[in-house]
Amino acid sequence: MRLDSHQHFWEYDPKRQDWISPEMSRIRRNFRPADLYPLLQDAKMDGCIAVQAEESLRETDFLLDLTAQHEWILGVVGWADLKSDTLDELLDDYSDKQKLVGFREVLQSKDPQYILQKNFIRGIQKIGTRGYGYDILIFPTHLSATLELVNKCPDQRFVIDHLAKPYIKAGEWKDWKKAVSLLAERELVHCKLSGMITEADWKTWTPEQLFPYLEIALELFGPDRLMYGSDWPVCLLAGEYERFWEIIEEFTNSLSTSEKDKIMGETAAEFYRI
């Protein structure tokens, strides 16, 4: 199975998508399944995972409704307030939604200590007992706290979105590698090869600037715990859908067929239990 493990849909609203700044004018519009499907076909993808881009249950329901209309949307990483005292009841309400495969929160916008709150950790443990994965959306400044979180939830499956957003534009990788390597020692922590071109200079980046980070991710996680994700349509700020996909194809061409197949879909299918 070839799978795009990370993309978004939205009906653009300046209040709901308030993170889309004026300089991001290219993505200040609606992005629907009909916009993505031809791109997946061109890339010979069997399907995708739709990931939340708004912190609301409305977002989770919106994405799940899309899966009912488009069978190739194979899973949803939704949002829920993991700190809520009524989380169990909410998870009960979603228990029949087979395409709800995990949860995510925009942790990058929060203080690193946010994820070490007792009620947040309790929420992570609760979704874990129900078989859901958790996507970690962070900056490098969150890596130390993330390691503490992972250590407190040793049985939970985690995936780091966008390689934890290393400072590609600045060319920094040593401190990032040191921190990520500690997370990679935990066998249930995975990593998405996604969101890289928007961490580089949007106008002047080159594939050669990305390869060192890809090589480090491969060294630390191996194909069994790496998954390709386009981060469409956010990627459009720095390049077309096919441009980043072609870079990952080129990067994985030096691997064995089975290793490449894992990165291009099988790891994501196993992680999200598709």
Side-chain angles (χ1 to χ4, degrees):
M1 177 180 288
R2 286 172 61 87
L3 186 61
D4 182 340
S5 73
H6 198 104
Q7 52 75 216
H8 310 284
F9 299 113
W10 59 69
E11 300 287 340
Y12 178 67
D13 181 288
K15 293 182 179 179
R16 292 205 301 268
Q17 284 83 37
D18 58 357
W19 57 273
I20 302 180
S21 64
E23 66 178 342
M24 300 179 180
S25 59
R26 188 173 182 191
I27 62 172
R28 300 184 84 173
R29 65 173 181 84
N30 297 339
F31 286 94
R32 303 183 176 99
D35 300 310
L36 177 63
Y37 188 62
L39 304 176
L40 294 177
Q41 287 187 305
D42 289 345
K44 297 181 173 58
M45 293 289 161
D46 297 302
C48 64
I49 301 293
V51 180
Q52 64 84 219
E54 175 190 332
E55 294 187 332
S56 71
L57 291 176
R58 172 182 53 204
E59 171 85 342
T60 304
D61 294 338
F62 165 68
L63 295 176
L64 287 170
D65 287 344
L66 292 180
T67 69
Q69 302 168 41
H70 307 278
E71 62 180 9
W72 49 269
I73 305 175
L74 299 175
V76 166
V77 175
W79 178 90
D81 182 1
L82 299 190
K83 306 183 305 303
S84 173
D85 291 334
T86 60
L87 180 61
D88 283 317
E89 290 84 346
L90 177 67
L91 294 175
D92 287 342
D93 291 341
Y94 281 110
S95 61
D96 63 336
K97 305 296 184 182
Q98 295 184 356
K99 286 195 173 182
L100 181 60
V101 297
F103 291 93
R104 187 180 86 150
E105 192 166 343
V106 186
L107 298 177
Q108 66 180 27
S109 68
K110 299 174 172 64
D111 186 279
Q113 294 304 304
Y114 175 91
I115 62 177
L116 298 179
Q117 298 175 88
K118 289 183 178 180
N119 52 358
F120 183 84
I121 293 170
R122 179 192 64 192
I124 290 286
Q125 293 168 342
K126 285 184 176 182
I127 66 169
T129 60
R130 296 183 184 237
Y132 296 112
Y134 190 77
D135 275 54
I136 305 175
L137 176 61
I138 55 172
F139 289 126
T141 51
H142 295 78
L143 284 166
S144 178
T146 299
L147 180 61
E148 289 189 55
L149 171 67
V150 169
N151 287 339
K152 291 177 183 294
C153 304
D155 299 321
Q156 173 63 35
R157 288 174 296 115
F158 291 99
V159 59
I160 303 170
D161 289 350
H162 316 325
L163 289 81
K165 296 196 167 185
Y167 304 121
I168 298 175
K169 185 175 181 179
E172 194 287 316
W173 59 267
K174 292 183 179 179
D175 291 341
W176 165 79
K177 178 181 179 180
K178 182 178 180 180
V180 170
S181 67
L182 298 176
L183 280 169
E185 291 175 359
R186 278 60 179 175
E187 62 181 15
L188 294 183
V189 177
H190 297 61
C191 184
K192 288 185 180 180
L193 303 180
S194 61
M196 298 181 68
I197 60 176
T198 46
E199 296 308 309
D201 187 293
W202 294 356
K203 294 183 179 180
T204 64
W205 68 270
T206 65
E208 290 72 26
Q209 291 174 311
L210 307 184
F211 286 137
Y213 300 91
L214 293 170
E215 289 165 358
I216 289 169
L218 180 62
E219 172 193 342
L220 297 180
F221 291 93
D224 291 336
R225 291 188 290 147
L226 287 179
M227 56 186 86
Y228 157 76
S230 66
D231 198 27
W232 179 93
V234 181
C235 68
L236 299 177
L237 296 170
E240 300 301 322
Y241 182 97
E242 59 269 20
R243 193 172 183 202
F244 184 62
W245 161 69
E246 289 170 352
I247 289 170
I248 301 301
E249 285 280 358
E250 179 183 350
F251 175 71
T252 55
N253 278 341
S254 62
L255 305 178
S256 69
T257 300
S258 63
E259 289 173 332
K260 179 169 184 169
D261 287 346
K262 289 175 181 177
I263 293 174
M264 299 307 295
E266 291 181 2
T267 296
E270 180 179 355
F271 179 86
Y272 289 118
R273 298 178 175 176
I274 292 175

